[in-house]
Amino acid sequence: MRTGFLILILLLSATAKGQMLDNTHSTDFEGRPEFVQAFIRTHKVQTIRGTFSTKADQDIIRESKDATYYKFNRFGELTFEYKTVYNDTIYTLYAYDERSNLIIKRTADKYGFQSRHYFYDQQNRVVRIEVRTEQNTGQDIYTHVPDADKQTATELFEYVALDGLNYKKCYLNSDGISYRDEFFYFDAKGLLIKQEGYQKSGSGKSVVELKYDDAGRLLEKTATSSVMGNYTTRYVYEYDSYGNILAMKFYENDIYKTEFQYVYDGENKFLKAIIMRDASTNLMTIVKYDFYTFYQQ
């Protein structure tokens, strides 16, 4: 039960220092780790490899063949990752502009390729996304990006400044007409506290609300959608005294679903493991980050 979960954390953990994982209002993750670029760059991290194992209630830890891998450039930007699950491997390639804006995110598996190409305005806001898809016919799965003639969809956006830092984001169709509006509201510290979205046709509405502590760390994120009935998700975050995220709890329609625990190495401050526990079955999935490589001077 819960006691076994705590014992497992103690076996893997040490005193945590530093901030390797990002959880700001702009990158708040929902289980998948988001790495702080400055931390990766400062510590010259080149690659991180993780392995998966599971532990059922009253059972031993059982290792699997599933794995995950991250590769960074010298600027600390994530450029490549893969994850092997359910007898398939999903590869993801990232490319950035000179302002560290993501301009290409391409995913590939044994079936095909999909890439999303991002275009920005002078304020680093996305104004256009092009989606390209292509079947896998033997292209290089590590580097191939579909050509422009494989474009299958386009998303367009424009922004309207409101009072203070608040603004409206408009989703445009191919004729330049807005079919959805999204409003972003910030507090006096510049932290995003509310996001509201409305469909122009129908009564669909979505609301995201965020709460922070005095240090500006995200404590809670609640998202409610009324597009097809009411549906709510909630993430609750906990931190250590150094600002590292230690735990996250996920609720769906107010039902406690999943708990995440983040374990760090006390000596070098690196992420050591993520432990996910299903609240209903107590099944744990453990991702152990057991191998790092580094850039030389």
Side-chain angles (χ1 to χ4, degrees):
M1 298 297 288
R2 174 77 172 172
T3 303
F5 190 36
L6 295 174
I7 292 174
L8 179 59
I9 294 168
L10 291 173
L11 289 174
L12 288 170
S13 66
T15 303
K17 298 179 181 179
Q19 292 174 281
M20 185 176 183
L21 297 183
D22 196 0
N23 195 31
T24 64
H25 64 271
S26 59
T27 65
D28 51 285
F29 59 89
E30 299 171 351
R32 179 187 180 278
E34 299 283 350
F35 298 100
V36 176
Q37 182 181 343
F39 183 100
I40 298 296
R41 182 179 63 248
T42 300
H43 290 82
K44 299 181 173 59
V45 178
Q46 184 175 21
T47 65
I48 305 172
R49 184 175 66 87
T51 55
F52 287 77
S53 57
T54 58
K55 184 183 184 306
D57 199 17
Q58 299 182 356
D59 192 12
I60 63 172
I61 295 176
R62 299 184 183 276
E63 297 182 355
S64 75
K65 296 181 180 179
D66 294 338
T68 187
Y69 172 90
Y70 302 95
K71 183 176 182 180
F72 307 87
N73 60 24
R74 287 184 177 272
F75 297 103
E77 298 165 338
L78 178 63
T79 59
F80 179 77
E81 69 174 295
Y82 72 73
K83 184 177 182 180
T84 303
V85 289
Y86 305 118
N87 298 316
D88 192 12
T89 302
I90 300 173
Y91 301 86
T92 307
L93 178 74
Y94 303 88
Y96 305 84
D97 63 16
E98 67 281 358
R99 295 178 288 178
S100 287
N101 289 320
L102 177 66
I103 55 175
I104 300 175
K105 179 182 179 181
R106 186 231 63 182
T107 57
D109 57 22
K110 61 185 177 182
Y111 301 105
F113 301 83
Q114 183 184 82
S115 61
R116 297 175 69 85
H117 300 252
Y118 301 85
F119 302 84
Y120 298 82
D121 61 16
Q122 292 300 312
Q123 298 183 53
N124 299 316
R125 301 177 301 194
V126 177
V127 294
R128 180 185 179 93
I129 301 175
E130 295 178 358
V131 181
R132 306 176 189 176
T133 57
E134 186 176 1
Q135 288 187 337
N136 187 342
T137 57
Q139 304 93 325
D140 187 337
I141 203 164
Y142 295 100
T143 62
H144 179 71
V145 176
D147 293 331
D149 61 354
K150 302 298 192 298
Q151 183 172 323
T152 56
T154 302
E155 302 173 47
L156 301 172
F157 314 94
E158 67 178 17
Y159 302 85
V160 178
L162 304 176
D163 58 303
L165 296 175
N166 304 331
Y167 66 89
K168 178 174 71 171
K169 180 179 181 180
C170 305
Y171 292 67
L172 310 177
N173 61 21
S174 58
D175 296 321
I177 299 174
S178 175
Y179 64 88
R180 174 180 171 83
D181 288 341
E182 217 165 34
F183 295 83
F184 295 78
Y185 301 100
F186 298 81
D187 65 11
K189 297 180 180 179
L191 297 173
L192 178 66
I193 56 174
K194 193 173 185 179
Q195 182 178 332
E196 293 181 339
Y198 302 89
Q199 295 293 126
K200 291 296 184 69
S201 60
S203 57
K205 176 182 178 181
S206 62
V207 178
V208 178
E209 295 180 286
L210 304 103
K211 298 178 181 178
Y212 306 84
D213 64 14
D214 293 337
R217 295 174 298 200
L218 182 62
L219 291 179
E220 188 173 317
K221 174 185 175 182
T222 302
T224 304
S225 172
S226 60
V227 176
M228 298 181 64
N230 292 324
Y231 176 74
T232 300
T233 60
R234 183 162 63 97
Y235 295 85
V236 180
Y237 305 91
E238 299 175 10
Y239 302 86
D240 66 14
S241 59
Y242 298 96
N244 293 298
I245 180 169
L246 285 183
M248 180 182 73
K249 296 180 180 180
F250 170 65
Y251 299 80
E252 188 176 48
N253 290 331
D254 293 325
I255 299 174
Y256 182 28
K257 304 290 287 187
T258 313
E259 180 176 5
F260 295 75
Q261 291 284 343
Y262 303 87
V263 183
Y264 304 87
D265 186 299
E267 181 178 352
N268 55 31
K269 314 177 185 70
F270 297 148
L271 180 66
K272 192 173 183 180
I274 297 178
I275 307 169
M276 296 160 279
R277 183 178 67 89
D278 183 274
S280 61
T281 65
N282 210 40
L283 175 67
M284 300 182 210
T285 300
I286 305 152
V287 188
K288 187 177 180 181
Y289 298 94
D290 53 0
F291 187 74
Y292 283 72
T293 65
F294 304 89
Y295 286 104
Q296 301 303 310
Q297 294 288 353

